[in-house]
Amino acid sequence: MPADYKRLVDVYGDGIFDDTIWLLVPNSPYDECDLHAQAAERAEILSDLWEFEAKPAGLLEAEARVLPWAFEEGTGAFLYWLVRPGQDPDEWTVLYNEGRGPLWEHHEMGCAAFLLGVLTETVETEYFGCLHDAPKPTEHRFETAARTIGASRR
């Protein structure tokens, strides 16, 4: 795993940033936040999808793949790393897939830089408009999965 992702997981764990971006972590007790469970599910879904839909350009390279690290609340959209053969994890870049359509957006940066850029509106993206349509909070928020999901399961 990339070092910036490991730091995110160490500091935050599984949960949601600004009610919008869920961070996946290995071995989360919640399947929807478990990196391993989501990686397996997304691999199956994308494999079926790419039987009739074109892969994004970055995945045309032999043995290139995607690995999910986050998803957008309520949209079906996922954030992935673009994993290329022989590439160091710290060089993995971000791919956003809108989930309910064929559009992919590539960002030449790691996950922490992308996450920070989206939350602070310093990265150019066609997505996450809901973060910018609402009044600006004085502070960004993070809620743990245990507090958010655990509370809804009671």
Side-chain angles (χ1 to χ4, degrees), residues 26 35 42 55 71 87 91 95 119 123 128 150:
L35 183 118
R42 301 310 306 163
K55 288 182 177 183
F71 66 92
Q87 192 177 44
E91 297 173 340
L95 276 173
L119 296 176
V123 71
F128 300 105

Side-chain angles (χ1 to χ4, degrees), residues 27-147:
N27 305 314
S28 171
Y30 306 99
D31 284 346
E32 56 267 54
C33 293
D34 182 64
L35 183 118
H36 301 299
Q38 288 299 323
E41 182 178 313
R42 301 310 306 163
E44 185 176 323
I45 289 169
L46 292 174
S47 176
D48 292 345
L49 178 71
W50 289 328
E51 288 183 16
F52 62 89
E53 189 175 289
K55 288 182 177 183
L59 291 174
L60 298 178
E61 179 181 351
E63 297 183 40
R65 61 188 176 92
V66 292
L67 179 62
W69 60 271
F71 66 92
E72 186 178 1
E73 171 70 20
T75 67
F78 270 79
L79 289 161
Y80 297 91
W81 286 293
L82 173 57
V83 179
R84 294 184 165 121
Q87 192 177 44
D88 184 273
D90 288 336
E91 297 173 340
W92 295 351
T93 56
V94 172
L95 276 173
Y96 175 95
N97 176 246
E98 66 181 337
R100 295 187 177 127
L103 299 179
W104 290 78
E105 189 177 80
H106 184 237
H107 296 272
E108 289 284 341
M109 62 186 68
C111 64
F114 181 79
L115 179 60
L116 178 63
V118 165
L119 296 176
T120 61
E121 297 183 61
T122 58
V123 71
E124 288 189 36
T125 178
E126 295 296 318
Y127 302 99
F128 300 105
C130 61
L131 284 171
H132 314 302
D133 293 342
K136 303 283 183 274
T138 56
E139 292 182 10
H140 293 284
R141 299 165 311 284
F142 180 83
E143 289 290 333
T144 65
R147 188 169 181 166

